[in-house]
Amino acid sequence: MDPARALRDIAFQLERAGEPTYRVRAFRQAASVVDRLSPEELESRIRSGTLQALKGIGKATAGVIEDAWAGRVPAYAAKVGEADLPDGGPLRAALRGDCHTHSDWSDGGSPILEMAEAGRALGHEWMVLTDHSPRLTVAHGLSAERLRSQMDEVARVNEAVAPFRLLHGIEVDILLDGGLDQTEDLLSRLDFVVASVHSKLRMPAREMTPRLLDAVANPHVRVLGHCTGRLVRGQGRPESVFDAEKVFTACRENGVAVEINSRPERLDPPMRLLRLAAELGCEFAIDSDAHAPGQLDWQVYGCVRAEKAGLAADRIINTRTAEDLLAQ
């Protein structure tokens, strides 16, 4: 058993279960350390019991390495167990991709290649990389220069994961005036744009409504991300208020999908708004908003909510091929 693979598998399971980031990071960092060791040095350190002398390897991760090297299922893996996720039903089976994911270029925890490989392993045909735009400094949003550099990296990753396809997108901040936090030129060069509000979430409806209407009228926008901005776990955060009928009607008229954000702490939009958008004839994107490989599996939560809203697969843009998605 490959020790680095065993460490990453445990990290995946921890992510899937929503465990704290620091714990996940410990296993991914240890995997990176193992990757840099020659087989001879790895064996020598295992035999001499000096794995923990390496920066980035602690007691738990050393135990996983030793078990995997000896051909044993790591004891820590049994401790983690399997996350109790719904299966997502027929909608999950119909999904071909994920329109909203993040890498360590912004506030994600893993490299682009690792995210793409995880998406492929889950059975997807394609995935959209949507790291944050520059205004969101807390999330290490991408400047125009970094976004251009990321285009080259996405091209390299596509060579490595073909025929799986990684589309290059962005989760662009919706500014206070409804403009988008990136140049029109760069937005036009991307495959896909998710537009989301991350600031001034409590502004009154008379201001939030035109802000959202202007954003979804932008011809580059394909998805309105987590539209209410609510958080339903921890300390929580109330929904943003806006004229939902006007905004969802504008989404329908402009060909912008309403995101069903699957993150367990978001589950956005709430069911009453999801049903309203369905009644108004909107299309939808069931997205993981994953910031780590194990979170890609969270799409099942969105599938369950879409089914409750009575949505069929033909209303979900993730069920389309990459070519169909790009042609729209």
Side-chain angles (χ1 to χ4, degrees):
M1 186 181 299
D2 175 31
R5 181 70 266 163
L7 289 163
R8 290 190 172 94
D9 286 347
I10 290 173
F12 184 93
Q13 293 302 328
L14 290 169
E15 290 162 349
R16 197 168 182 258
E19 292 291 331
T21 301
Y22 76 87
R23 188 171 299 157
V24 175
R25 186 177 294 122
F27 285 88
R28 292 203 177 277
Q29 287 178 340
S32 296
V33 173
V34 171
D35 284 338
R36 294 193 294 269
L37 298 177
S38 68
E40 294 76 19
E41 183 179 359
L42 178 61
E43 181 176 357
S44 174
R45 286 190 174 276
I46 291 171
R47 291 188 181 281
S48 63
T50 60
L51 280 172
Q52 293 182 61
L54 294 169
K55 184 178 181 180
I57 295 182
K59 182 179 179 180
T61 52
V64 171
I65 295 167
E66 291 164 357
D67 283 346
W69 183 81
R72 300 187 296 266
V73 174
Y76 198 98
K79 177 181 175 182
V80 174
E82 289 288 330
D84 186 20
L85 299 183
D87 66 15
L91 273 182
R92 174 60 186 90
L95 298 186
R96 296 173 183 264
D98 192 333
C99 300
H100 186 171
T101 70
H102 297 273
S103 76
D104 60 3
W105 281 60
S106 63
D107 61 343
S110 293
I112 296 171
L113 177 58
E114 202 164 314
M115 292 295 292
E117 288 175 335
R120 181 178 61 183
L122 287 173
H124 285 323
E125 298 174 9
W126 54 265
M127 190 172 81
V128 188
L129 175 67
T130 53
D131 278 321
H132 289 285
S133 61
R135 180 183 176 86
L136 204 61
T137 54
V138 69
H140 197 42
L142 273 63
S143 65
E145 181 180 1
R146 291 182 65 223
L147 185 60
R148 291 189 194 96
S149 296
Q150 193 179 66
M151 291 177 179
D152 296 331
E153 179 63 17
V154 168
R156 285 189 288 269
V157 167
N158 271 313
E159 290 181 1
V161 297
F164 179 88
R165 189 167 179 184
L166 182 67
L167 303 179
H168 193 200
I170 189 172
E171 184 182 13
V172 66
D173 227 29
I174 299 174
L175 304 177
L176 296 183
D177 64 357
L180 303 182
D181 183 34
Q182 194 46 272
T183 67
E184 288 287 309
D185 175 62
L186 274 176
L187 293 176
S188 70
R189 294 174 59 189
L190 294 170
D191 295 318
F192 204 88
V193 175
V194 176
S196 306
V197 170
H198 292 102
S199 61
K200 299 290 185 182
L201 295 166
R202 303 302 306 278
M203 65 166 38
R206 67 178 181 275
E207 297 174 15
M208 184 65 82
T209 300
R211 182 182 182 185
L212 295 177
L213 290 174
D214 285 349
V216 300
N218 186 295
H220 302 303
V221 173
R222 297 294 309 281
V223 171
L224 175 61
H226 48 72
C227 62
T228 78
R230 74 172 186 173
L231 295 176
V232 296
R233 290 190 175 184
Q235 293 183 341
R237 184 167 64 208
E239 302 167 20
S240 295
V241 292
F242 54 89
D243 187 325
E245 185 167 352
K246 283 185 178 179
V247 170
F248 294 151
T249 298
C251 285
R252 184 195 67 213
E253 292 176 349
N254 287 283
V256 172
V258 175
E259 180 177 72
I260 303 175
N261 189 289
S262 303
R263 292 191 67 85
E265 74 273 23
R266 287 192 181 275
L267 300 179
D268 199 5
M271 286 305 303
R272 74 180 193 286
L273 294 185
L274 181 52
R275 290 190 173 101
L276 174 62
E279 291 168 5
L280 291 171
C282 292
E283 291 189 322
F284 298 86
I286 299 177
D287 294 335
S288 67
D289 192 359
H291 287 63
Q295 296 175 6
L296 291 167
D297 238 359
W298 285 352
Q299 272 183 306
V300 293
Y301 293 120
C303 291
V304 169
R305 299 179 74 244
E307 185 176 3
K308 286 181 179 178
L311 294 172
D314 62 357
R315 301 276 296 277
I316 310 298
I317 67 172
N318 313 64
T319 64
R320 298 166 190 168
T321 65
E323 290 74 16
D324 288 342
L325 199 68
L326 293 174
Q328 294 176 332

